[in-house]
Amino acid sequence: DTLPMQMQTFCLEQSRASGFDAGGYAFSLLIAAANSIDQRSRLQAGSSFDIPPMLWGALEGSSGAGKSPVMRAAMTFSRAIEATRLHESRKAFAEWDALPKNDRGPRPPFKQRIISDTTVEAMAEASNENPEGLFLVIDEMTEFLGRMDAYSGRDGGKDRGVFLRAFDGGQVTINRVLTGVPLVIDQFSSGILTGVQPAVLAAKFGQRNVAADGLYQRFLWYVLGDAGVVDFQSDGDAFTNVNLATLFGWLDELGPVTTTMSNKALAEFECYTNQMRIISARTRADRLS
């Protein structure tokens, strides 16, 4: 109930109809909303700390808990905006390509936001044309980790480092294997929404050399509750989807903004940060602290 009313209504309606955890819908919707904002935006916390809007979120739950359908429902509004964006990009490229070569100007940028199957090099190319930021949506975290391992050798070291930097945004240099020419991206950032099964997560955290680099720690985690009773005939409010579509459209069109925390929010964030540092200092295992 800290979320906007449009989100609350959607989550409760979806949960009644599906039997899946309402909090899972809320969590996924929050991640999707955060990653709809221009990632060059900043929230200032005090005089020396600022935070980009994108979030990394992972739904943790066993098979049957509803990870995929929950994420799919929460992504409805972002994907609708993306479909329009891709249509306009294809149209602009087709018009440019139809011109005689002597009459062509620079190739129009291919605008996109949501990605699901890519390498770090491909993400870098997309980031150059989309400084607003990218949003990686993938059903299983094992696909995300496996891709880094496949393209970067043992433990996915190189690509893991790039993703660690993508969490904060800013400039990054990618050394391209095929051309040998480094690619410099002024704004490389990506939000993530994914799912993971408990056994997979436990196994990954058991690998000390992998789990201690901070990759997993950058994720927000939501543990899905057990699936409950479904009500396929439950009626939703006719305006729920319209209201949420309007909200997501506004977030997408907001552009890069800088805003500041209220004094109350800043005090709570300061308290939280100090408490977490105390807990971290008392935790002996590096990969957990």
PDB file of all heavy atoms in Angstrom, residues 122-161:
ATOM      1  N   ALA A 122      26.520  -6.380 -27.903  1.00  0.00           N
ATOM      2  CA  ALA A 122      25.276  -5.944 -28.524  1.00  0.00           C
ATOM      3  C   ALA A 122      24.582  -4.905 -27.652  1.00  0.00           C
ATOM      4  O   ALA A 122      24.008  -3.929 -28.157  1.00  0.00           O
ATOM      5  CB  ALA A 122      24.361  -7.136 -28.758  1.00  0.00           C
ATOM      6  N   MET A 123      24.635  -5.087 -26.333  1.00  0.00           N
ATOM      7  CA  MET A 123      24.055  -4.101 -25.417  1.00  0.00           C
ATOM      8  C   MET A 123      24.770  -2.765 -25.542  1.00  0.00           C
ATOM      9  O   MET A 123      24.156  -1.700 -25.476  1.00  0.00           O
ATOM     10  CB  MET A 123      24.124  -4.604 -23.983  1.00  0.00           C
ATOM     11  CG  MET A 123      23.100  -5.667 -23.652  1.00  0.00           C
ATOM     12  SD  MET A 123      23.158  -6.134 -21.912  1.00  0.00           S
ATOM     13  CE  MET A 123      22.631  -4.611 -21.138  1.00  0.00           C
ATOM     14  N   ALA A 124      26.075  -2.832 -25.710  1.00  0.00           N
ATOM     15  CA  ALA A 124      26.846  -1.599 -25.849  1.00  0.00           C
ATOM     16  C   ALA A 124      26.431  -0.842 -27.106  1.00  0.00           C
ATOM     17  O   ALA A 124      26.263   0.385 -27.081  1.00  0.00           O
ATOM     18  CB  ALA A 124      28.337  -1.924 -25.890  1.00  0.00           C
ATOM     19  N   GLU A 125      26.261  -1.564 -28.212  1.00  0.00           N
ATOM     20  CA  GLU A 125      25.820  -0.925 -29.454  1.00  0.00           C
ATOM     21  C   GLU A 125      24.438  -0.302 -29.264  1.00  0.00           C
ATOM     22  O   GLU A 125      24.183   0.829 -29.700  1.00  0.00           O
ATOM     23  CB  GLU A 125      25.766  -1.963 -30.582  1.00  0.00           C
ATOM     24  CG  GLU A 125      27.114  -2.582 -30.945  1.00  0.00           C
ATOM     25  CD  GLU A 125      27.959  -1.669 -31.825  1.00  0.00           C
ATOM     26  OE1 GLU A 125      27.497  -0.556 -32.141  1.00  0.00           O
ATOM     27  OE2 GLU A 125      29.083  -2.084 -32.178  1.00  0.00           O
ATOM     28  N   ALA A 126      23.537  -1.028 -28.602  1.00  0.00           N
ATOM     29  CA  ALA A 126      22.183  -0.509 -28.371  1.00  0.00           C
ATOM     30  C   ALA A 126      22.212   0.701 -27.446  1.00  0.00           C
ATOM     31  O   ALA A 126      21.430   1.646 -27.617  1.00  0.00           O
ATOM     32  CB  ALA A 126      21.302  -1.604 -27.783  1.00  0.00           C
ATOM     33  N   SER A 127      23.116   0.702 -26.479  1.00  0.00           N
ATOM     34  CA  SER A 127      23.204   1.822 -25.538  1.00  0.00           C
ATOM     35  C   SER A 127      23.625   3.110 -26.227  1.00  0.00           C
ATOM     36  O   SER A 127      23.196   4.193 -25.836  1.00  0.00           O
ATOM     37  CB  SER A 127      24.200   1.491 -24.419  1.00  0.00           C
ATOM     38  OG  SER A 127      23.727   0.440 -23.619  1.00  0.00           O
ATOM     39  N   ASN A 128      24.478   2.993 -27.258  1.00  0.00           N
ATOM     40  CA  ASN A 128      24.900   4.190 -27.980  1.00  0.00           C
ATOM     41  C   ASN A 128      23.722   4.894 -28.643  1.00  0.00           C
ATOM     42  O   ASN A 128      23.716   6.115 -28.801  1.00  0.00           O
ATOM     43  CB  ASN A 128      25.949   3.827 -29.037  1.00  0.00           C
ATOM     44  CG  ASN A 128      27.360   4.079 -28.547  1.00  0.00           C
ATOM     45  OD1 ASN A 128      27.566   4.781 -27.553  1.00  0.00           O
ATOM     46  ND2 ASN A 128      28.337   3.515 -29.223  1.00  0.00           N
ATOM     47  N   GLU A 129      22.732   4.109 -29.060  1.00  0.00           N
ATOM     48  CA  GLU A 129      21.562   4.691 -29.720  1.00  0.00           C
ATOM     49  C   GLU A 129      20.418   4.943 -28.740  1.00  0.00           C
ATOM     50  O   GLU A 129      19.419   5.557 -29.096  1.00  0.00           O
ATOM     51  CB  GLU A 129      21.092   3.769 -30.844  1.00  0.00           C
ATOM     52  CG  GLU A 129      22.154   3.570 -31.922  1.00  0.00           C
ATOM     53  CD  GLU A 129      21.621   2.851 -33.148  1.00  0.00           C
ATOM     54  OE1 GLU A 129      20.717   1.997 -32.996  1.00  0.00           O
ATOM     55  OE2 GLU A 129      22.083   3.150 -34.259  1.00  0.00           O
ATOM     56  N   ASN A 130      20.574   4.459 -27.522  1.00  0.00           N
ATOM     57  CA  ASN A 130      19.515   4.599 -26.520  1.00  0.00           C
ATOM     58  C   ASN A 130      20.103   5.022 -25.180  1.00  0.00           C
ATOM     59  O   ASN A 130      20.149   4.232 -24.226  1.00  0.00           O
ATOM     60  CB  ASN A 130      18.754   3.275 -26.378  1.00  0.00           C
ATOM     61  CG  ASN A 130      18.053   2.850 -27.646  1.00  0.00           C
ATOM     62  OD1 ASN A 130      16.939   3.261 -27.917  1.00  0.00           O
ATOM     63  ND2 ASN A 130      18.720   2.017 -28.440  1.00  0.00           N
ATOM     64  N   PRO A 131      20.561   6.261 -25.087  1.00  0.00           N
ATOM     65  CA  PRO A 131      21.161   6.721 -23.826  1.00  0.00           C
ATOM     66  C   PRO A 131      20.161   6.762 -22.672  1.00  0.00           C
ATOM     67  O   PRO A 131      20.565   6.909 -21.521  1.00  0.00           O
ATOM     68  CB  PRO A 131      21.658   8.127 -24.177  1.00  0.00           C
ATOM     69  CG  PRO A 131      20.802   8.565 -25.330  1.00  0.00           C
ATOM     70  CD  PRO A 131      20.553   7.315 -26.113  1.00  0.00           C
ATOM     71  N   GLU A 132      18.852   6.608 -22.993  1.00  0.00           N
ATOM     72  CA  GLU A 132      17.846   6.563 -21.935  1.00  0.00           C
ATOM     73  C   GLU A 132      18.007   5.324 -21.062  1.00  0.00           C
ATOM     74  O   GLU A 132      17.484   5.269 -19.945  1.00  0.00           O
ATOM     75  CB  GLU A 132      16.435   6.564 -22.531  1.00  0.00           C
ATOM     76  CG  GLU A 132      16.132   7.750 -23.440  1.00  0.00           C
ATOM     77  CD  GLU A 132      16.578   7.512 -24.878  1.00  0.00           C
ATOM     78  OE1 GLU A 132      17.151   6.438 -25.169  1.00  0.00           O
ATOM     79  OE2 GLU A 132      16.362   8.411 -25.716  1.00  0.00           O
ATOM     80  N   GLY A 133      18.737   4.327 -21.579  1.00  0.00           N
ATOM     81  CA  GLY A 133      18.976   3.107 -20.822  1.00  0.00           C
ATOM     82  C   GLY A 133      18.211   1.923 -21.363  1.00  0.00           C
ATOM     83  O   GLY A 133      17.256   2.061 -22.133  1.00  0.00           O
ATOM     84  N   LEU A 134      18.643   0.721 -20.975  1.00  0.00           N
ATOM     85  CA  LEU A 134      18.034  -0.525 -21.423  1.00  0.00           C
ATOM     86  C   LEU A 134      17.386  -1.237 -20.237  1.00  0.00           C
ATOM     87  O   LEU A 134      17.603  -0.880 -19.081  1.00  0.00           O
ATOM     88  CB  LEU A 134      19.095  -1.423 -22.065  1.00  0.00           C
ATOM     89  CG  LEU A 134      19.866  -0.817 -23.240  1.00  0.00           C
ATOM     90  CD1 LEU A 134      20.981  -1.762 -23.677  1.00  0.00           C
ATOM     91  CD2 LEU A 134      18.935  -0.505 -24.409  1.00  0.00           C
ATOM     92  N   PHE A 135      16.601  -2.258 -20.545  1.00  0.00           N
ATOM     93  CA  PHE A 135      15.890  -3.014 -19.525  1.00  0.00           C
ATOM     94  C   PHE A 135      15.922  -4.480 -19.935  1.00  0.00           C
ATOM     95  O   PHE A 135      15.252  -4.887 -20.873  1.00  0.00           O
ATOM     96  CB  PHE A 135      14.463  -2.491 -19.408  1.00  0.00           C
ATOM     97  CG  PHE A 135      13.630  -3.144 -18.324  1.00  0.00           C
ATOM     98  CD1 PHE A 135      14.210  -3.906 -17.314  1.00  0.00           C
ATOM     99  CD2 PHE A 135      12.241  -2.989 -18.311  1.00  0.00           C
ATOM    100  CE1 PHE A 135      13.442  -4.490 -16.321  1.00  0.00           C
ATOM    101  CE2 PHE A 135      11.459  -3.564 -17.330  1.00  0.00           C
ATOM    102  CZ  PHE A 135      12.059  -4.325 -16.328  1.00  0.00           C
ATOM    103  N   LEU A 136      16.759  -5.269 -19.257  1.00  0.00           N
ATOM    104  CA  LEU A 136      16.908  -6.691 -19.554  1.00  0.00           C
ATOM    105  C   LEU A 136      15.833  -7.467 -18.792  1.00  0.00           C
ATOM    106  O   LEU A 136      15.797  -7.442 -17.565  1.00  0.00           O
ATOM    107  CB  LEU A 136      18.302  -7.178 -19.149  1.00  0.00           C
ATOM    108  CG  LEU A 136      18.590  -8.673 -19.298  1.00  0.00           C
ATOM    109  CD1 LEU A 136      18.518  -9.090 -20.764  1.00  0.00           C
ATOM    110  CD2 LEU A 136      19.954  -9.027 -18.722  1.00  0.00           C
ATOM    111  N   VAL A 137      14.951  -8.141 -19.531  1.00  0.00           N
ATOM    112  CA  VAL A 137      13.878  -8.941 -18.932  1.00  0.00           C
ATOM    113  C   VAL A 137      14.082 -10.383 -19.364  1.00  0.00           C
ATOM    114  O   VAL A 137      14.058 -10.691 -20.563  1.00  0.00           O
ATOM    115  CB  VAL A 137      12.487  -8.442 -19.373  1.00  0.00           C
ATOM    116  CG1 VAL A 137      11.398  -9.272 -18.699  1.00  0.00           C
ATOM    117  CG2 VAL A 137      12.318  -6.967 -19.020  1.00  0.00           C
ATOM    118  N   ILE A 138      14.305 -11.265 -18.406  1.00  0.00           N
ATOM    119  CA  ILE A 138      14.631 -12.654 -18.725  1.00  0.00           C
ATOM    120  C   ILE A 138      14.023 -13.546 -17.650  1.00  0.00           C
ATOM    121  O   ILE A 138      14.127 -13.257 -16.459  1.00  0.00           O
ATOM    122  CB  ILE A 138      16.164 -12.804 -18.838  1.00  0.00           C
ATOM    123  CG1 ILE A 138      16.559 -14.132 -19.438  1.00  0.00           C
ATOM    124  CG2 ILE A 138      16.854 -12.562 -17.517  1.00  0.00           C
ATOM    125  CD1 ILE A 138      18.001 -14.163 -19.925  1.00  0.00           C
ATOM    126  N   ASP A 139      13.325 -14.602 -18.073  1.00  0.00           N
ATOM    127  CA  ASP A 139      12.559 -15.427 -17.134  1.00  0.00           C
ATOM    128  C   ASP A 139      13.425 -16.071 -16.059  1.00  0.00           C
ATOM    129  O   ASP A 139      13.030 -16.143 -14.897  1.00  0.00           O
ATOM    130  CB  ASP A 139      11.791 -16.520 -17.887  1.00  0.00           C
ATOM    131  CG  ASP A 139      10.484 -16.008 -18.469  1.00  0.00           C
ATOM    132  OD1 ASP A 139      10.158 -14.829 -18.229  1.00  0.00           O
ATOM    133  OD2 ASP A 139       9.806 -16.766 -19.174  1.00  0.00           O
ATOM    134  N   GLU A 140      14.593 -16.576 -16.440  1.00  0.00           N
ATOM    135  CA  GLU A 140      15.430 -17.309 -15.503  1.00  0.00           C
ATOM    136  C   GLU A 140      16.808 -16.681 -15.383  1.00  0.00           C
ATOM    137  O   GLU A 140      17.469 -16.439 -16.396  1.00  0.00           O
ATOM    138  CB  GLU A 140      15.576 -18.777 -15.941  1.00  0.00           C
ATOM    139  CG  GLU A 140      14.303 -19.602 -15.799  1.00  0.00           C
ATOM    140  CD  GLU A 140      13.914 -19.848 -14.340  1.00  0.00           C
ATOM    141  OE1 GLU A 140      14.790 -19.720 -13.450  1.00  0.00           O
ATOM    142  OE2 GLU A 140      12.737 -20.169 -14.095  1.00  0.00           O
ATOM    143  N   MET A 141      17.245 -16.442 -14.176  1.00  0.00           N
ATOM    144  CA  MET A 141      18.565 -15.866 -13.942  1.00  0.00           C
ATOM    145  C   MET A 141      19.669 -16.750 -14.502  1.00  0.00           C
ATOM    146  O   MET A 141      20.732 -16.258 -14.890  1.00  0.00           O
ATOM    147  CB  MET A 141      18.780 -15.640 -12.444  1.00  0.00           C
ATOM    148  CG  MET A 141      20.128 -15.039 -12.101  1.00  0.00           C
ATOM    149  SD  MET A 141      20.356 -14.776 -10.330  1.00  0.00           S
ATOM    150  CE  MET A 141      19.697 -13.127 -10.162  1.00  0.00           C
ATOM    151  N   THR A 142      19.435 -18.072 -14.553  1.00  0.00           N
ATOM    152  CA  THR A 142      20.470 -18.965 -15.087  1.00  0.00           C
ATOM    153  C   THR A 142      20.800 -18.639 -16.535  1.00  0.00           C
ATOM    154  O   THR A 142      21.940 -18.813 -16.972  1.00  0.00           O
ATOM    155  CB  THR A 142      20.003 -20.431 -14.986  1.00  0.00           C
ATOM    156  OG1 THR A 142      18.662 -20.546 -15.491  1.00  0.00           O
ATOM    157  CG2 THR A 142      20.023 -20.915 -13.552  1.00  0.00           C
ATOM    158  N   GLU A 143      19.810 -18.157 -17.309  1.00  0.00           N
ATOM    159  CA  GLU A 143      20.084 -17.740 -18.686  1.00  0.00           C
ATOM    160  C   GLU A 143      21.020 -16.541 -18.700  1.00  0.00           C
ATOM    161  O   GLU A 143      21.950 -16.458 -19.504  1.00  0.00           O
ATOM    162  CB  GLU A 143      18.782 -17.381 -19.400  1.00  0.00           C
ATOM    163  CG  GLU A 143      17.800 -18.527 -19.574  1.00  0.00           C
ATOM    164  CD  GLU A 143      16.535 -18.071 -20.269  1.00  0.00           C
ATOM    165  OE1 GLU A 143      16.645 -17.399 -21.310  1.00  0.00           O
ATOM    166  OE2 GLU A 143      15.434 -18.365 -19.764  1.00  0.00           O
ATOM    167  N   PHE A 144      20.762 -15.593 -17.839  1.00  0.00           N
ATOM    168  CA  PHE A 144      21.572 -14.381 -17.729  1.00  0.00           C
ATOM    169  C   PHE A 144      23.015 -14.728 -17.356  1.00  0.00           C
ATOM    170  O   PHE A 144      23.973 -14.277 -17.980  1.00  0.00           O
ATOM    171  CB  PHE A 144      20.920 -13.471 -16.676  1.00  0.00           C
ATOM    172  CG  PHE A 144      21.774 -12.327 -16.194  1.00  0.00           C
ATOM    173  CD1 PHE A 144      22.184 -11.337 -17.059  1.00  0.00           C
ATOM    174  CD2 PHE A 144      22.129 -12.228 -14.864  1.00  0.00           C
ATOM    175  CE1 PHE A 144      22.945 -10.271 -16.606  1.00  0.00           C
ATOM    176  CE2 PHE A 144      22.889 -11.179 -14.399  1.00  0.00           C
ATOM    177  CZ  PHE A 144      23.298 -10.195 -15.273  1.00  0.00           C
ATOM    178  N   LEU A 145      23.174 -15.576 -16.330  1.00  0.00           N
ATOM    179  CA  LEU A 145      24.514 -15.955 -15.885  1.00  0.00           C
ATOM    180  C   LEU A 145      25.207 -16.844 -16.906  1.00  0.00           C
ATOM    181  O   LEU A 145      26.397 -16.694 -17.174  1.00  0.00           O
ATOM    182  CB  LEU A 145      24.428 -16.667 -14.538  1.00  0.00           C
ATOM    183  CG  LEU A 145      23.871 -15.839 -13.387  1.00  0.00           C
ATOM    184  CD1 LEU A 145      23.683 -16.705 -12.149  1.00  0.00           C
ATOM    185  CD2 LEU A 145      24.779 -14.668 -13.085  1.00  0.00           C
ATOM    186  N   GLY A 146      24.439 -17.764 -17.513  1.00  0.00           N
ATOM    187  CA  GLY A 146      25.026 -18.664 -18.494  1.00  0.00           C
ATOM    188  C   GLY A 146      25.545 -17.931 -19.710  1.00  0.00           C
ATOM    189  O   GLY A 146      26.564 -18.301 -20.289  1.00  0.00           O
ATOM    190  N   ARG A 147      24.853 -16.866 -20.094  1.00  0.00           N
ATOM    191  CA  ARG A 147      25.290 -16.093 -21.252  1.00  0.00           C
ATOM    192  C   ARG A 147      26.626 -15.412 -20.967  1.00  0.00           C
ATOM    193  O   ARG A 147      27.502 -15.346 -21.819  1.00  0.00           O
ATOM    194  CB  ARG A 147      24.216 -15.061 -21.612  1.00  0.00           C
ATOM    195  CG  ARG A 147      24.472 -14.357 -22.925  1.00  0.00           C
ATOM    196  CD  ARG A 147      23.253 -13.590 -23.347  1.00  0.00           C
ATOM    197  NE  ARG A 147      22.109 -14.475 -23.513  1.00  0.00           N
ATOM    198  CZ  ARG A 147      20.965 -14.347 -22.858  1.00  0.00           C
ATOM    199  NH1 ARG A 147      20.814 -13.380 -21.999  1.00  0.00           N
ATOM    200  NH2 ARG A 147      19.988 -15.188 -23.065  1.00  0.00           N
ATOM    201  N   MET A 148      26.787 -14.893 -19.774  1.00  0.00           N
ATOM    202  CA  MET A 148      28.059 -14.261 -19.427  1.00  0.00           C
ATOM    203  C   MET A 148      29.178 -15.294 -19.415  1.00  0.00           C
ATOM    204  O   MET A 148      30.290 -15.039 -19.881  1.00  0.00           O
ATOM    205  CB  MET A 148      27.953 -13.583 -18.059  1.00  0.00           C
ATOM    206  CG  MET A 148      27.151 -12.301 -18.090  1.00  0.00           C
ATOM    207  SD  MET A 148      27.331 -11.342 -16.585  1.00  0.00           S
ATOM    208  CE  MET A 148      26.355 -12.321 -15.458  1.00  0.00           C
ATOM    209  N   ASP A 149      28.893 -16.491 -18.875  1.00  0.00           N
ATOM    210  CA  ASP A 149      29.895 -17.548 -18.858  1.00  0.00           C
ATOM    211  C   ASP A 149      30.270 -17.965 -20.286  1.00  0.00           C
ATOM    212  O   ASP A 149      31.437 -18.174 -20.602  1.00  0.00           O
ATOM    213  CB  ASP A 149      29.365 -18.775 -18.114  1.00  0.00           C
ATOM    214  CG  ASP A 149      29.160 -18.497 -16.632  1.00  0.00           C
ATOM    215  OD1 ASP A 149      29.672 -17.476 -16.157  1.00  0.00           O
ATOM    216  OD2 ASP A 149      28.475 -19.301 -15.968  1.00  0.00           O
ATOM    217  N   ALA A 150      29.268 -18.043 -21.167  1.00  0.00           N
ATOM    218  CA  ALA A 150      29.499 -18.526 -22.528  1.00  0.00           C
ATOM    219  C   ALA A 150      30.394 -17.586 -23.313  1.00  0.00           C
ATOM    220  O   ALA A 150      31.217 -18.019 -24.108  1.00  0.00           O
ATOM    221  CB  ALA A 150      28.161 -18.698 -23.248  1.00  0.00           C
ATOM    222  N   TYR A 151      30.264 -16.281 -23.081  1.00  0.00           N
ATOM    223  CA  TYR A 151      31.000 -15.316 -23.898  1.00  0.00           C
ATOM    224  C   TYR A 151      32.276 -14.815 -23.240  1.00  0.00           C
ATOM    225  O   TYR A 151      33.028 -14.085 -23.857  1.00  0.00           O
ATOM    226  CB  TYR A 151      30.107 -14.117 -24.233  1.00  0.00           C
ATOM    227  CG  TYR A 151      29.051 -14.455 -25.243  1.00  0.00           C
ATOM    228  CD1 TYR A 151      27.752 -14.732 -24.844  1.00  0.00           C
ATOM    229  CD2 TYR A 151      29.356 -14.539 -26.598  1.00  0.00           C
ATOM    230  CE1 TYR A 151      26.776 -15.071 -25.779  1.00  0.00           C
ATOM    231  CE2 TYR A 151      28.384 -14.874 -27.535  1.00  0.00           C
ATOM    232  CZ  TYR A 151      27.103 -15.129 -27.108  1.00  0.00           C
ATOM    233  OH  TYR A 151      26.144 -15.470 -28.028  1.00  0.00           O
ATOM    234  N   SER A 152      32.497 -15.212 -21.986  1.00  0.00           N
ATOM    235  CA  SER A 152      33.630 -14.594 -21.294  1.00  0.00           C
ATOM    236  C   SER A 152      34.514 -15.579 -20.566  1.00  0.00           C
ATOM    237  O   SER A 152      35.285 -15.190 -19.704  1.00  0.00           O
ATOM    238  CB  SER A 152      33.108 -13.547 -20.305  1.00  0.00           C
ATOM    239  OG  SER A 152      32.331 -12.597 -20.961  1.00  0.00           O
ATOM    240  N   GLY A 153      34.381 -16.851 -20.854  1.00  0.00           N
ATOM    241  CA  GLY A 153      35.237 -17.804 -20.194  1.00  0.00           C
ATOM    242  C   GLY A 153      34.798 -18.073 -18.776  1.00  0.00           C
ATOM    243  O   GLY A 153      33.665 -17.830 -18.380  1.00  0.00           O
ATOM    244  N   ARG A 154      35.709 -18.571 -17.990  1.00  0.00           N
ATOM    245  CA  ARG A 154      35.395 -19.015 -16.636  1.00  0.00           C
ATOM    246  C   ARG A 154      34.797 -17.881 -15.794  1.00  0.00           C
ATOM    247  O   ARG A 154      35.344 -16.793 -15.710  1.00  0.00           O
ATOM    248  CB  ARG A 154      36.657 -19.540 -15.955  1.00  0.00           C
ATOM    249  CG  ARG A 154      36.382 -20.112 -14.576  1.00  0.00           C
ATOM    250  CD  ARG A 154      37.669 -20.562 -13.925  1.00  0.00           C
ATOM    251  NE  ARG A 154      37.404 -21.045 -12.585  1.00  0.00           N
ATOM    252  CZ  ARG A 154      38.354 -21.395 -11.725  1.00  0.00           C
ATOM    253  NH1 ARG A 154      39.624 -21.302 -12.083  1.00  0.00           N
ATOM    254  NH2 ARG A 154      38.023 -21.819 -10.528  1.00  0.00           N
ATOM    255  N   ASP A 155      33.654 -18.181 -15.171  1.00  0.00           N
ATOM    256  CA  ASP A 155      32.945 -17.259 -14.268  1.00  0.00           C
ATOM    257  C   ASP A 155      32.433 -16.004 -14.952  1.00  0.00           C
ATOM    258  O   ASP A 155      31.949 -15.092 -14.287  1.00  0.00           O
ATOM    259  CB  ASP A 155      33.834 -16.843 -13.080  1.00  0.00           C
ATOM    260  CG  ASP A 155      34.190 -18.032 -12.209  1.00  0.00           C
ATOM    261  OD1 ASP A 155      33.429 -19.023 -12.176  1.00  0.00           O
ATOM    262  OD2 ASP A 155      35.242 -17.964 -11.564  1.00  0.00           O
ATOM    263  N   GLY A 156      32.543 -15.906 -16.265  1.00  0.00           N
ATOM    264  CA  GLY A 156      32.028 -14.731 -16.955  1.00  0.00           C
ATOM    265  C   GLY A 156      32.666 -13.452 -16.470  1.00  0.00           C
ATOM    266  O   GLY A 156      32.026 -12.416 -16.407  1.00  0.00           O
ATOM    267  N   GLY A 157      33.968 -13.490 -16.132  1.00  0.00           N
ATOM    268  CA  GLY A 157      34.616 -12.372 -15.469  1.00  0.00           C
ATOM    269  C   GLY A 157      34.499 -11.045 -16.179  1.00  0.00           C
ATOM    270  O   GLY A 157      34.151 -10.036 -15.576  1.00  0.00           O
ATOM    271  N   LYS A 158      34.779 -11.022 -17.479  1.00  0.00           N
ATOM    272  CA  LYS A 158      34.777  -9.744 -18.200  1.00  0.00           C
ATOM    273  C   LYS A 158      33.376  -9.137 -18.237  1.00  0.00           C
ATOM    274  O   LYS A 158      33.179  -7.973 -17.905  1.00  0.00           O
ATOM    275  CB  LYS A 158      35.295  -9.955 -19.620  1.00  0.00           C
ATOM    276  CG  LYS A 158      35.383  -8.670 -20.427  1.00  0.00           C
ATOM    277  CD  LYS A 158      35.751  -8.936 -21.873  1.00  0.00           C
ATOM    278  CE  LYS A 158      34.599  -9.575 -22.626  1.00  0.00           C
ATOM    279  NZ  LYS A 158      34.875  -9.724 -24.079  1.00  0.00           N
ATOM    280  N   ASP A 159      32.398  -9.936 -18.654  1.00  0.00           N
ATOM    281  CA  ASP A 159      31.044  -9.416 -18.778  1.00  0.00           C
ATOM    282  C   ASP A 159      30.435  -9.102 -17.421  1.00  0.00           C
ATOM    283  O   ASP A 159      29.648  -8.164 -17.285  1.00  0.00           O
ATOM    284  CB  ASP A 159      30.162 -10.413 -19.531  1.00  0.00           C
ATOM    285  CG  ASP A 159      30.452 -10.416 -21.027  1.00  0.00           C
ATOM    286  OD1 ASP A 159      31.376  -9.687 -21.436  1.00  0.00           O
ATOM    287  OD2 ASP A 159      29.779 -11.138 -21.770  1.00  0.00           O
ATOM    288  N   ARG A 160      30.775  -9.870 -16.417  1.00  0.00           N
ATOM    289  CA  ARG A 160      30.282  -9.570 -15.065  1.00  0.00           C
ATOM    290  C   ARG A 160      30.749  -8.184 -14.642  1.00  0.00           C
ATOM    291  O   ARG A 160      29.994  -7.407 -14.067  1.00  0.00           O
ATOM    292  CB  ARG A 160      30.775 -10.614 -14.058  1.00  0.00           C
ATOM    293  CG  ARG A 160      30.138 -11.969 -14.206  1.00  0.00           C
ATOM    294  CD  ARG A 160      30.760 -12.966 -13.245  1.00  0.00           C
ATOM    295  NE  ARG A 160      30.332 -12.721 -11.880  1.00  0.00           N
ATOM    296  CZ  ARG A 160      29.331 -13.360 -11.286  1.00  0.00           C
ATOM    297  NH1 ARG A 160      28.649 -14.276 -11.957  1.00  0.00           N
ATOM    298  NH2 ARG A 160      29.011 -13.100 -10.042  1.00  0.00           N
ATOM    299  N   GLY A 161      31.997  -7.855 -14.944  1.00  0.00           N
ATOM    300  CA  GLY A 161      32.517  -6.538 -14.580  1.00  0.00           C
ATOM    301  C   GLY A 161      31.783  -5.415 -15.283  1.00  0.00           C
ATOM    302  O   GLY A 161      31.515  -4.366 -14.689  1.00  0.00           O
TER     303      GLY A 161
END
